[in-house]
Amino acid sequence: MLSREDNALLTQVGPGTEMGALFRRHWLPFMLADELVAEAPPKRVRLLGECLVAFRDSRGRAGLLGEHCPHRRASLAFGRNEAGGLRCVYHGWKFDVAGRCLDMPSEPPGSGFRDRVRAEAYPVTERAGLLWAYLGPAEKRAELPEFEWLGLPAAQRYASRWVQDCNYAQALEGEIDEAHVSFLQRRVDAAGLPVSALTGAHFQEDRAPRYTVHETPYGLACGARRLVQGDEYLWRINLFLMPCFTLIPPADDPNSRLFRAWVPQDDEHTSVLCVNWRTDRPVSERELELWQRGEVAHRKLAESAGKITDRTLEHLGTSDKPVVAFRQRLLGTARLLAEGVEPQTPYDPDCYRVRAHASLVSRDERDFIEQEEIRRGMLAP
Ligand code: FES
């Protein structure tokens, strides 16, 4: 459980909040690149509690502006996207993707007023089919995290997005919570016995999985070890990467992988950007179909706990180690930042070059982090 104060610190990400400041130190994906079409009408975007509009100009550049026009605050969501900028339909002021005012038809020629006015604008970059934004202070501008899938050919990855009606933290906690795998994602054989999706081997269900969590430069490596038939252990290692990313190991195909970004739209809504990719070959039609079915059960269960779950009422057990560690990592880092200690992850893009991992390991009592084969498997090339 958390105190009421810690729950508020964890879940509130708007301007002026401590967690909001930590998120604003990182580049965050907020849309699929193909959601924006050149010269098409702008789209409203909610990101970290801010009201914004996104558009793609006639040169193909993506822009992210504050929703309200700096003149008299009309919504730029009604703006006309024309010839290199977005024109407010109220009095015609026109802004480019950097917020510069290109035209001000309501002022006399040569007044110079146009050069003294800027729309609020955030940097946007496009990588691997996603649009990424940086909402932090310009002098603290971060690097884009170097996930391995950013460099893959487009045919080997598939990006999707959905909105979850709850706070980002509880949505993400469902992803690193390996304990639910034996139940929510239970697979059974013809005789109705639980089996490993990775191997088809039977779990020894009389023994609960063992959970271990390690602090890492990028965030957390969360391991769960299950005893399966034949005296082998199945290790599954989920990764949490600051501030709101996860990597999950493959279920039944070691070359098929999954990244998710749990990006707060505001405190009660989360934009989930999902990238499935293959390390070995282009994605097939069949795989696309399976991936597109999504994770409806996960989504509904996270939402069923309320928009912002009351963590003062929880009863956490040993299987909740990853969830506890996730909260402590975020809370601790946000508190340090509030005291003036900068987080490391925004300025260490290579620390994100890692992989989630799943494998069968012969029976012994060593922790996953002590096992060389697993450690090697957790490094992305
Ligand atoms: S309110 Fe936008 S131009 Fe006047």
Side-chain angles (χ1 to χ4, degrees):
M1 62 179 277
L2 285 183
S3 67
R4 201 162 299 285
E5 295 71 28
D6 277 359
N7 201 29
L9 174 56
L10 179 71
T11 55
Q12 294 176 4
V13 294
T17 61
E18 293 174 6
M19 196 57 71
L22 177 59
F23 273 72
R24 283 169 173 78
R25 288 292 196 272
H26 295 81
W27 281 91
L28 300 172
F30 65 99
M31 274 181 126
L32 305 183
D34 59 12
E35 290 184 74
L36 286 187
V37 176
E39 294 193 289
K43 295 197 168 172
R44 280 196 170 91
V45 170
R46 288 279 282 165
L47 186 54
L48 302 181
E50 300 191 33
C51 296
L52 309 166
V53 293
F55 70 107
R56 194 183 290 282
D57 72 10
S58 53
R59 292 168 52 189
R61 299 176 302 179
L64 189 62
L65 304 181
E67 178 176 348
H68 297 285
C69 176
H71 180 213
R72 289 195 4 230
R73 311 293 294 158
S75 174
L76 291 171
F78 300 118
R80 279 203 300 266
N81 187 358
E82 56 182 34
L86 187 63
R87 190 182 293 281
C88 178
V89 292
Y90 204 177
H91 309 94
W93 294 16
K94 178 175 161 184
F95 304 96
D96 70 5
V97 292
R100 284 183 292 259
C101 187
L102 304 176
D103 192 20
M104 197 177 265
S106 58
E107 292 294 307
S111 79
F113 187 40
R114 191 187 84 181
D115 300 328
R116 300 196 295 276
V117 175
R118 284 186 88 99
E120 183 184 29
Y122 291 119
V124 174
T125 191
E126 197 166 327
R127 287 282 302 274
L130 303 183
L131 294 170
W132 303 69
Y134 175 74
L135 272 61
E139 70 280 8
K140 301 288 186 190
R141 186 154 153 181
E143 305 283 341
L144 216 66
E146 284 297 333
F147 294 108
E148 68 165 314
W149 51 268
L150 288 175
L152 286 179
Q156 282 178 237
R157 53 180 156 76
Y158 173 75
S160 56
R161 182 171 84 92
W162 69 80
V163 175
Q164 205 153 315
D165 289 332
C166 64
N167 182 260
Y168 82 93
Q170 77 204 51
L172 189 154
E173 284 172 0
E175 188 83 334
I176 56 172
D177 164 25
E178 182 69 19
H180 75 263
V181 169
S182 303
F183 295 90
L184 183 62
Q185 296 178 316
R186 190 190 197 98
R187 288 169 174 77
V188 293
D189 67 5
L193 298 171
V195 296
S196 159
L198 182 71
T199 64
H202 292 91
F203 285 125
Q204 305 292 304
E205 287 281 313
D206 56 329
R207 289 187 57 177
R210 197 183 84 185
Y211 301 95
T212 55
V213 179
H214 289 273
E215 292 271 347
T216 65
Y218 54 81
L220 302 168
C222 308
R225 189 203 69 181
R226 289 177 172 80
L227 185 60
V228 296
Q229 238 178 17
D231 280 359
E232 285 184 306
Y233 284 124
L234 170 64
W235 276 103
R236 285 180 51 83
I237 300 151
N238 300 322
L239 308 185
F240 159 66
L241 309 101
M242 294 283 280
C244 59
F245 308 126
T246 52
L247 289 168
I248 301 300
D252 51 8
D253 179 345
N255 294 310
S256 174
R257 298 182 167 270
L258 174 61
F259 161 88
R260 284 192 180 130
W262 308 82
V263 181
Q265 291 190 330
D266 54 33
D267 296 345
E268 298 187 345
H269 301 89
T270 303
S271 194
V272 186
L273 292 104
C274 180
V275 179
N276 297 82
W277 80 96
R278 294 202 59 89
T279 56
D280 56 341
R281 59 164 171 76
V283 173
S284 69
E285 291 287 327
R286 173 71 181 145
E287 284 162 335
L288 267 186
E289 185 191 324
L290 289 174
W291 292 345
Q292 283 170 331
R293 283 187 198 161
E295 299 272 343
V296 175
H298 281 108
R299 224 183 293 182
K300 294 288 172 210
L301 288 169
E303 291 171 352
S304 72
K307 296 255 188 197
I308 302 176
T309 194
D310 184 350
R311 291 180 173 78
T312 66
L313 301 176
E314 292 175 330
H315 297 80
L316 302 184
T318 52
S319 67
D320 297 303
K321 270 185 188 173
V323 169
V324 171
F326 155 74
R327 296 172 185 176
Q328 294 310 321
R329 179 67 178 254
L330 274 179
L331 289 169
T333 313
R335 284 202 177 95
L336 282 172
L337 177 57
E339 292 166 9
V341 181
E342 289 291 327
Q344 295 304 304
T345 41
Y347 313 109
D348 185 10
D350 286 330
C351 78
Y352 289 90
R353 205 179 278 279
V354 285
R355 282 183 169 176
H357 185 84
S359 66
L360 282 175
V361 177
S362 61
R363 182 172 190 157
D364 66 37
E365 290 301 321
R366 284 181 301 157
D367 187 77
F368 71 85
I369 214 76
E370 296 159 0
Q371 303 195 34
E372 182 61 23
E373 184 190 334
I374 294 181
R375 277 213 313 273
R376 274 203 312 272
M378 291 172 63
L379 296 175

